[in-house]
Amino acid sequence: KEIIMSSYLDYYNGDKNQLIVQTPYGQGLVVRTRPKRDNSSMKEIRLLEWQSSQSQTKNGLEKKRVPMLYTTIDYESVTIKKGDDVITPYGRGVVLETVIVKMHKKSKNIHKDVIDDDDNNTGSDVNDAPATVTVTVQEDIRFKYHVLLNSWRLAGRSRVKCYLFSNQVKVVRTKTLSEMDPNERIDYAKKQKQIANKSFVQKNYNTALHLYAEAVDAVRYIQHTPNNSNECRADLLVVIVTCSNNAATCCIQLQKYEEAQRFAKNALILLNALFDKQGMKIHAVLLKDHKLTDARLFGEWRGKSGLIIAKTLAKKEMYDEAIECVRHAKEYIMAYITPNGDEKEKELKRMLKEIVKLQKTVIEYRKVIRQKERARAKKMFASEEAQNDNASAKNQASENYPSGQSSNMKADDKNTPKRNGSIKGISTAKAESPKETGGNSDCDKQEPVKLVKRVSFAEELEERHILEDSDFEDDEEEPWYE
């Protein structure tokens, strides 16, 4: 009995291995199987080729309703293709390739002829009759699938592969990221990295960045257990470091400097932690299985991370931090460059040239910025000194002239004629001789003016010149009269 109705989809409360089957209504996903009392089972199948509908709940939230098929019939699996996840009698795996097998079935037909003797009216014995043997060959073409079993993990990176016929293989739903174990997550990240590398070569940096970031997120929160091997840990480190550095390079091309700095820092932290544990198990696995030398790990990869961080700091005009980061990156690379280097050091030398060029550029930028800062500071302090000089002159003038006297002096300045050598109505000339004046005068007896310093509390202060003895000795006043 089959019933089609809409229901809410719930993958996670269903079967562990959810089959994909071919139904009369299209492809379907067996979400769960419910046993019945008569040793049969009721299957809940989501029809994948039918459109889903939206419905609102009592709270006003929209939920997705999908068409479901309820049946007790065991449908066959869909057509198996390369890359499908399958379930076998030996565990779960992935189809690597499809192999066509030609099987020949031979069948023999034995026919014995009986000769009748009319003269003697006697028939020959059947056993004595000559036998005719006819051999027929029937050719049967069948498909065999090369399956890599993911549920089998042997020591030393050994994997189990097997060839199975179609009746032993059934297609299942691909696992979600939360359902994968650490090894499956690493395999998933490697696939994403391979796709991202193709996009990076084609300069499609947005797509490449998305794929690299997805690969890093897939393995970021792996929870290690004692069952995880050192090979698994080494693979995890390689995937995170390479994808992080590549993602940071994409961010530089897209001018996303904050993200580039974050990706490069993550890679540099892991490499520095590995550098502190040189000679231990994971380091040995990287050297043996991945052929990663110290020059590649701690020279090239660390130098690349440091170079990216320095570029981001320079773009943000943090030149002091950028110069410090460039210095560290240069030290990483110089530690693994020998005087008589071979072809293996070619990449290190290329990176060293790039680092030196960036270092010169950053130093020049910092020099220009400092020159601008000095000029700005000079202008600022020069204006402050001028203001201080004006303020001190006003204070000094206020001390020499009281508030009332200063106002009288202002009035006198308007009415008093200006003389050569006079300062604002106050004569600084010496007393004239009797010969020039034609007789004695009060000016002959006049002495230099001595000003009394007094404290002024006036709100407006005016700059005044302080008279000194030297002013009276050097200046000679010409007669202003005819």
Side-chain angles (χ1 to χ4, degrees):
K1 186 177 181 180
E2 296 178 352
I3 303 174
I4 297 177
M5 61 179 294
S6 297
S7 176
Y8 298 123
L9 180 62
D10 189 2
Y11 287 119
Y12 302 103
N13 294 329
D15 297 340
K16 182 178 180 181
N17 297 311
Q18 298 175 347
L19 303 177
I20 300 178
V21 296
Q22 186 67 44
T23 69
Y25 313 100
Q27 293 185 1
L29 175 67
V30 181
V31 179
R32 64 179 58 85
T33 303
R34 301 181 184 276
K36 297 180 67 177
R37 294 182 180 179
D38 55 354
N39 296 328
S40 61
S41 59
M42 176 64 71
K43 299 175 181 59
E44 299 180 15
I45 302 175
R46 177 195 173 187
L47 299 177
L48 301 176
E49 298 178 357
W50 287 40
Q51 293 183 354
S52 304
S53 60
Q54 298 286 345
S55 63
Q56 289 187 352
T57 60
K58 295 181 180 179
N59 299 329
L61 301 176
E62 291 187 357
K63 276 194 173 183
K64 193 174 184 180
R65 297 180 66 89
V66 296
M68 301 291 293
L69 172 65
Y70 296 85
T71 181
T72 57
I73 302 173
D74 293 331
Y75 291 110
E76 294 184 356
S77 176
V78 295
T79 304
I80 302 171
K81 297 177 293 185
K82 180 181 177 181
D84 287 344
D85 287 12
V86 294
I87 187 71
T88 69
Y90 312 105
R92 187 164 177 144
V94 179
V95 177
L96 300 178
E97 60 179 347
T98 303
V99 180
I100 298 176
V101 179
K102 294 182 179 180
M103 302 184 67
H104 300 281
K105 185 177 180 181
K106 295 182 180 180
S107 60
K108 294 182 180 180
N109 295 326
I110 301 174
H111 178 69
K112 292 184 178 182
D113 297 330
V114 179
I115 301 174
D116 293 334
D117 190 356
D118 295 336
D119 297 337
N120 298 327
N121 293 324
T122 59
S124 60
D125 191 1
V126 176
N127 296 328
D128 297 335
T132 303
V133 179
T134 305
V135 178
T136 59
V137 178
Q138 294 180 353
E139 187 177 71
D140 185 13
I141 298 177
R142 299 182 65 182
F143 291 98
K144 217 172 188 179
Y145 301 99
H146 190 197
V147 180
L148 173 65
L149 297 178
N150 291 330
S151 56
W152 290 59
R153 299 282 175 172
L154 304 181
R157 299 181 183 276
S158 299
R159 304 294 297 273
V160 178
K161 299 177 183 179
C162 57
Y163 288 89
L164 301 171
F165 289 106
S166 58
N167 59 346
Q168 298 174 300
V169 180
K170 294 183 179 180
V171 180
V172 294
R173 175 180 63 83
T174 304
K175 286 184 177 181
T176 59
L177 196 60
S178 60
E179 297 172 337
M180 296 180 183
D181 58 21
N183 290 300
E184 291 173 342
R185 287 195 178 197
I186 293 172
D187 293 339
Y188 174 78
K190 287 180 179 179
K191 291 179 182 178
Q192 298 298 104
K193 178 185 171 183
Q194 292 175 357
I195 301 172
N197 289 339
K198 296 178 181 178
S199 299
F200 186 85
V201 171
Q202 298 172 358
K203 296 184 179 181
N204 190 356
Y205 297 115
N206 278 315
T207 304
L209 175 60
H210 175 73
L211 293 171
Y212 283 131
E214 190 175 352
V216 172
D217 292 338
V219 295
R220 185 190 298 273
Y221 302 109
I222 286 182
Q223 299 295 329
H224 288 289
T225 63
N227 296 329
N228 294 338
S229 62
N230 292 322
E231 289 80 8
C232 175
R233 299 171 190 266
D235 293 345
L236 176 63
L237 186 139
V238 172
V239 168
I240 291 181
V241 170
T242 54
C243 289
S244 296
N245 277 339
N246 293 341
T249 305
C250 293
C251 291
I252 290 290
Q253 297 293 333
L254 298 172
Q255 298 181 357
K256 298 179 179 180
Y257 302 116
E258 289 291 341
E259 295 182 18
Q261 185 177 358
R262 185 168 62 252
F263 278 117
K265 276 187 176 180
N266 291 339
L268 189 59
I269 289 171
L270 290 175
L271 291 171
N272 287 335
L274 181 65
F275 181 78
D276 296 335
K277 296 183 179 181
Q278 289 187 72
M280 300 185 73
K281 293 181 179 179
I282 297 179
H283 184 211
V285 171
L286 291 172
L287 180 60
K288 180 182 177 181
D289 296 348
H290 294 273
K291 308 299 179 184
L292 293 174
T293 61
D294 290 350
R296 184 88 184 278
L297 280 172
F298 309 123
E300 183 180 339
W301 287 6
R302 282 206 302 175
K304 184 177 181 180
S305 300
L307 181 61
I308 292 172
I309 295 173
K311 286 182 179 179
T312 58
L313 293 173
K315 291 294 184 181
K316 294 191 292 185
E317 297 184 357
M318 302 171 65
Y319 298 117
D320 293 334
E321 293 83 353
I323 291 174
E324 184 69 17
C325 195
V326 167
R327 184 179 65 82
H328 287 303
K330 190 175 180 180
E331 290 176 356
Y332 297 152
I333 294 177
M334 289 296 295
Y336 298 97
I337 292 181
T338 58
N340 299 324
D342 52 2
E343 290 294 330
K344 295 181 181 178
E345 297 179 1
K346 186 176 181 180
E347 182 64 21
L348 291 175
K349 292 179 180 179
R350 186 195 65 80
M351 290 184 62
L352 182 61
K353 290 181 181 179
E354 188 176 357
I355 288 173
V356 171
K357 183 178 178 181
L358 178 63
Q359 187 178 21
K360 291 180 180 178
T361 304
V362 173
I363 290 174
E364 289 295 328
Y365 282 152
R366 186 179 68 172
K367 186 177 180 181
V368 172
I369 292 297
R370 287 186 175 180
Q371 288 176 353
K372 290 181 179 179
E373 289 177 353
R374 289 194 190 99
R376 192 182 303 115
K378 190 174 181 180
K379 288 183 179 180
M380 181 178 66
F381 289 114
S383 60
E384 289 182 359
E385 289 178 0
Q387 292 177 1
N388 293 334
D389 292 342
N390 294 335
S392 61
K394 290 180 180 179
N395 293 334
Q396 197 169 7
S398 64
E399 291 176 357
N400 294 334
Y401 298 99
S403 59
Q405 187 176 354
S406 61
S407 60
N408 295 332
M409 293 298 296
K410 290 180 184 179
D412 294 341
D413 290 344
K414 297 179 181 179
N415 300 325
T416 304
K418 295 183 180 180
R419 305 176 184 177
N420 294 332
S422 64
I423 301 174
K424 294 186 179 180
I426 301 176
S427 175
T428 60
K430 294 182 180 180
E432 298 178 356
S433 61
K435 295 179 180 180
E436 296 176 353
T437 57
N440 294 333
S441 174
D442 294 338
C443 295
D444 297 336
K445 300 178 181 180
Q446 186 177 359
E447 296 181 356
V449 180
K450 292 184 180 179
L451 300 177
V452 181
K453 295 183 179 180
R454 297 179 182 179
V455 179
S456 174
F457 298 94
E459 296 181 357
E460 296 183 359
L461 299 180
E462 196 173 298
E463 184 178 357
R464 295 289 182 180
H465 182 71
I466 300 174
L467 301 180
E468 297 179 357
D469 295 336
S470 60
D471 296 334
F472 295 93
E473 294 176 357
D474 298 336
D475 297 337
E476 291 184 1
E477 185 181 20
E478 295 181 0
W480 55 272
Y481 55 87
E482 296 181 358

